[in-house]
Amino acid sequence: MKRIGLLAGSLRAESYARKVARNLGLLVPNTVLAEPISIAHLPLLHDHLSRREQDACQAFKDQIQRMDAFCIVTPEINRGIPGCLKNALDIASVSYQGSLWEHKPVLIASVSTGKLGGLSASQQLKQLALVLGMQPVQPTEIYISDVRRLFADHEILTDDSVLPFLKMAIDNLIAAMPGETVATSRLTFQIGTDKIRLLQQDKQVGQATFQWSTGLLVISGVTIEPGFERQGLASQLMLKLVMIARLFGLSIVAGCPYSQAFFKQHPALGKALCLQ
Ligand SMILES: Cc1cc2nc3c(=O)[nH]c(=O)nc-3n(C[C@H](O)[C@H](O)[C@H](O)COP(=O)(O)O)c2cc1C
C-alpha cells in the first residue's frame, strides 16, 4: 500500500497547520495510507549529536524513506517557515543516498490566522522543496487564511469553501504517485462531525454515525441503502472511521453490531485501535 506522509510545521498542541494536515489525510482514498509524521522529538541538526539524538534522526529518516509522497502544511512565522519545519527538512536531506525527499511528489499548503494565508512561508517552502528534489504538485498555491474559523467547533473540516479545492489537490497528489490512479468508481465520502455519508454519483448509498468525545470515537451505526448491500461499502465506511481514529489519535468504541463484527474480522485493527 502506498503511503502519504503528513507533516505540519508546528510543535503547538492545538496547531492549525496540523489540523489541516490531518484533514488532508481524511481526503486520501482508502487504497492509500495517510500517515502523520511527528517532528516534535527531533533535535536541532548539527555535527555533534549524541547517540540518542542520532537515533531520533535516523528513525525520522527511515519514516521519510518509507513514504511515497507528502503533504506539508506550514504556518507562517515572521514571513517565513517555522524553524522546526526547516530543521526536519534539513535532517532528512542528509543521508548516504542524498536527500530522502528526492523525486517524491509533495502537496504544499500554508495556513494563517490572518488574511494573507501564509503566502510568504509557502513561497519559501516551495523553493526549499525544489532544492531538496521534491516534486510539488498543482495547485501550488493553497493559502488558507483565517484558519481559526475552520476549526471553531470541531477538528473535522467541513467548510465547503475550502474542501473541494483540497480534494482536487489530493487527487493530483495521488495521480502524481507512480502506480496510482485516481479512482473512477464515483464513490465519495462526506465526512461530518457526527456522520460519514457515502455517495455514489451524488446519491447516498450508505452512512456511518459516530460520537467523538475526549479521545474516543464511538461508532453508533453503519447502514447501507437497500440494493447496495454486499458490495463492500460498509467496510469502506469502517476504513474511513479507522482513518479518522488513526489521524486524530482516538480510541474506537465499537458501539454497533456491524462495527463489532468488522473488528472481529480484522483483529489487528481492533487490537491497535479499539478500547478492549
Ligand atoms: C513569533 C510569531 C510570528 C508570527 N508571524 C506571523 C507572520 O509573519 N504571518 C502570519 O500570517 N502569522 C504569523 N504569526 C501567527 C502564526 O502563524 C499563528 O499563530 C499560527 O496559528 C501558528 O501556527 P499553528 O497554529 O500551526 O501552530 C506569528 C506568530 C508568532 C508567535
Side-chain angles (χ1 to χ4, degrees), residues 10 12 15-17 75-79 112-113:
S10 174
R12 228 164 54 80
S15 159
Y16 292 114
E76 184 171 277
I77 299 293
N78 292 322
R79 299 283 173 254
S112 166
T113 46

mmCIF file of all heavy atoms in Angstrom, residues 10 12 15-17 75-79 112-113, ligand 1:
data_model
loop_
_atom_site.group_PDB
_atom_site.id
_atom_site.type_symbol
_atom_site.label_atom_id
_atom_site.label_comp_id
_atom_site.label_asym_id
_atom_site.label_seq_id
_atom_site.Cartn_x
_atom_site.Cartn_y
_atom_site.Cartn_z
ATOM 1 N N SER A 10 4.657 22.822 12.953
ATOM 2 C CA SER A 10 4.353 23.435 14.246
ATOM 3 C C SER A 10 4.522 22.402 15.347
ATOM 4 O O SER A 10 4.263 21.215 15.141
ATOM 5 C CB SER A 10 2.908 23.945 14.254
ATOM 6 O OG SER A 10 2.569 24.418 15.538
ATOM 7 N N ARG A 12 3.006 23.170 18.317
ATOM 8 C CA ARG A 12 1.925 23.562 19.213
ATOM 9 C C ARG A 12 0.882 22.446 19.305
ATOM 10 O O ARG A 12 0.496 21.861 18.294
ATOM 11 C CB ARG A 12 1.247 24.805 18.619
ATOM 12 C CG ARG A 12 1.005 25.961 19.568
ATOM 13 C CD ARG A 12 0.706 27.208 18.780
ATOM 14 N NE ARG A 12 -0.376 27.069 17.837
ATOM 15 C CZ ARG A 12 -1.666 27.133 18.148
ATOM 16 N NH1 ARG A 12 -2.038 27.329 19.402
ATOM 17 N NH2 ARG A 12 -2.591 27.018 17.223
ATOM 18 N N SER A 15 -2.121 23.075 17.114
ATOM 19 C CA SER A 15 -1.688 23.660 15.836
ATOM 20 C C SER A 15 -2.759 23.569 14.738
ATOM 21 O O SER A 15 -3.300 22.496 14.455
ATOM 22 C CB SER A 15 -0.431 22.915 15.375
ATOM 23 O OG SER A 15 -0.244 23.075 13.992
ATOM 24 N N TYR A 16 -3.011 24.713 14.108
ATOM 25 C CA TYR A 16 -3.947 24.717 12.974
ATOM 26 C C TYR A 16 -3.328 24.024 11.762
ATOM 27 O O TYR A 16 -4.027 23.376 10.989
ATOM 28 C CB TYR A 16 -4.333 26.157 12.606
ATOM 29 C CG TYR A 16 -5.170 26.827 13.667
ATOM 30 C CD1 TYR A 16 -4.694 27.913 14.387
ATOM 31 C CD2 TYR A 16 -6.447 26.340 13.963
ATOM 32 C CE1 TYR A 16 -5.460 28.508 15.371
ATOM 33 C CE2 TYR A 16 -7.220 26.937 14.948
ATOM 34 C CZ TYR A 16 -6.723 28.015 15.653
ATOM 35 O OH TYR A 16 -7.482 28.594 16.626
ATOM 36 N N ALA A 17 -2.026 24.171 11.579
ATOM 37 C CA ALA A 17 -1.364 23.502 10.456
ATOM 38 C C ALA A 17 -1.556 21.990 10.573
ATOM 39 O O ALA A 17 -1.832 21.298 9.591
ATOM 40 C CB ALA A 17 0.123 23.853 10.435
ATOM 41 N N PRO A 75 2.608 26.863 8.847
ATOM 42 C CA PRO A 75 2.157 28.188 9.260
ATOM 43 C C PRO A 75 3.224 29.206 8.843
ATOM 44 O O PRO A 75 4.246 28.816 8.259
ATOM 45 C CB PRO A 75 2.062 28.103 10.785
ATOM 46 C CG PRO A 75 2.737 26.850 11.185
ATOM 47 C CD PRO A 75 3.213 26.130 9.962
ATOM 48 N N GLU A 76 2.993 30.463 9.154
ATOM 49 C CA GLU A 76 3.998 31.483 8.818
ATOM 50 C C GLU A 76 4.468 32.137 10.114
ATOM 51 O O GLU A 76 3.650 32.542 10.937
ATOM 52 C CB GLU A 76 3.370 32.530 7.897
ATOM 53 C CG GLU A 76 4.355 33.569 7.415
ATOM 54 C CD GLU A 76 3.741 34.445 6.327
ATOM 55 O OE1 GLU A 76 3.750 34.021 5.162
ATOM 56 O OE2 GLU A 76 3.233 35.528 6.670
ATOM 57 N N ILE A 77 5.772 32.195 10.280
ATOM 58 C CA ILE A 77 6.351 32.881 11.430
ATOM 59 C C ILE A 77 7.310 33.936 10.897
ATOM 60 O O ILE A 77 8.267 33.605 10.192
ATOM 61 C CB ILE A 77 7.107 31.885 12.360
ATOM 62 C CG1 ILE A 77 6.148 30.819 12.920
ATOM 63 C CG2 ILE A 77 7.799 32.625 13.510
ATOM 64 C CD1 ILE A 77 5.089 31.295 13.873
ATOM 65 N N ASN A 78 7.013 35.186 11.208
ATOM 66 C CA ASN A 78 7.838 36.301 10.711
ATOM 67 C C ASN A 78 8.141 36.168 9.223
ATOM 68 O O ASN A 78 9.289 36.241 8.784
ATOM 69 C CB ASN A 78 9.122 36.431 11.551
ATOM 70 C CG ASN A 78 8.798 36.888 12.960
ATOM 71 O OD1 ASN A 78 7.890 37.724 13.152
ATOM 72 N ND2 ASN A 78 9.475 36.338 13.955
ATOM 73 N N ARG A 79 7.056 35.923 8.461
ATOM 74 C CA ARG A 79 7.100 35.856 6.990
ATOM 75 C C ARG A 79 7.945 34.710 6.436
ATOM 76 O O ARG A 79 8.414 34.763 5.297
ATOM 77 C CB ARG A 79 7.580 37.187 6.387
ATOM 78 C CG ARG A 79 6.684 38.363 6.702
ATOM 79 C CD ARG A 79 5.427 38.353 5.842
ATOM 80 N NE ARG A 79 4.500 39.395 6.256
ATOM 81 C CZ ARG A 79 3.363 39.178 6.931
ATOM 82 N NH1 ARG A 79 2.995 37.954 7.242
ATOM 83 N NH2 ARG A 79 2.578 40.162 7.267
ATOM 84 N N SER A 112 -2.791 30.544 7.931
ATOM 85 C CA SER A 112 -2.523 31.732 8.731
ATOM 86 C C SER A 112 -3.794 32.127 9.472
ATOM 87 O O SER A 112 -4.899 31.954 8.954
ATOM 88 C CB SER A 112 -2.079 32.869 7.812
ATOM 89 O OG SER A 112 -2.130 34.090 8.498
ATOM 90 N N THR A 113 -3.597 32.619 10.673
ATOM 91 C CA THR A 113 -4.755 33.143 11.410
ATOM 92 C C THR A 113 -5.116 34.528 10.860
ATOM 93 O O THR A 113 -6.168 35.062 11.177
ATOM 94 C CB THR A 113 -4.422 33.251 12.915
ATOM 95 O OG1 THR A 113 -3.129 33.850 13.050
ATOM 96 C CG2 THR A 113 -4.412 31.891 13.573
HETATM 97 C C1 LIG B 1 6.621 34.979 16.675
HETATM 98 C C2 LIG B 1 5.424 34.850 15.764
HETATM 99 C C3 LIG B 1 5.479 35.410 14.496
HETATM 100 C C4 LIG B 1 4.378 35.279 13.635
HETATM 101 N N1 LIG B 1 4.464 35.764 12.365
HETATM 102 C C5 LIG B 1 3.439 35.613 11.511
HETATM 103 C C6 LIG B 1 3.566 36.037 10.152
HETATM 104 O O1 LIG B 1 4.573 36.549 9.706
HETATM 105 N N2 LIG B 1 2.494 35.839 9.331
HETATM 106 C C7 LIG B 1 1.329 35.234 9.765
HETATM 107 O O2 LIG B 1 0.402 35.076 8.973
HETATM 108 N N3 LIG B 1 1.204 34.814 11.051
HETATM 109 C C8 LIG B 1 2.217 34.979 11.915
HETATM 110 N N4 LIG B 1 2.111 34.506 13.202
HETATM 111 C C9 LIG B 1 0.886 33.830 13.615
HETATM 112 C C10 LIG B 1 1.023 32.298 13.462
HETATM 113 O O3 LIG B 1 1.150 31.954 12.118
HETATM 114 C C11 LIG B 1 -0.210 31.627 14.043
HETATM 115 O O4 LIG B 1 -0.118 31.742 15.435
HETATM 116 C C12 LIG B 1 -0.392 30.171 13.635
HETATM 117 O O5 LIG B 1 -1.616 29.729 14.142
HETATM 118 C C13 LIG B 1 0.713 29.279 14.162
HETATM 119 O O6 LIG B 1 0.597 28.012 13.546
HETATM 120 P P1 LIG B 1 -0.015 26.736 14.295
HETATM 121 O O7 LIG B 1 -1.441 27.075 14.685
HETATM 122 O O8 LIG B 1 0.031 25.636 13.285
HETATM 123 O O9 LIG B 1 0.830 26.450 15.495
HETATM 124 C C14 LIG B 1 3.198 34.625 14.069
HETATM 125 C C15 LIG B 1 3.169 34.075 15.364
HETATM 126 C C16 LIG B 1 4.265 34.171 16.185
HETATM 127 C C17 LIG B 1 4.205 33.544 17.559
#
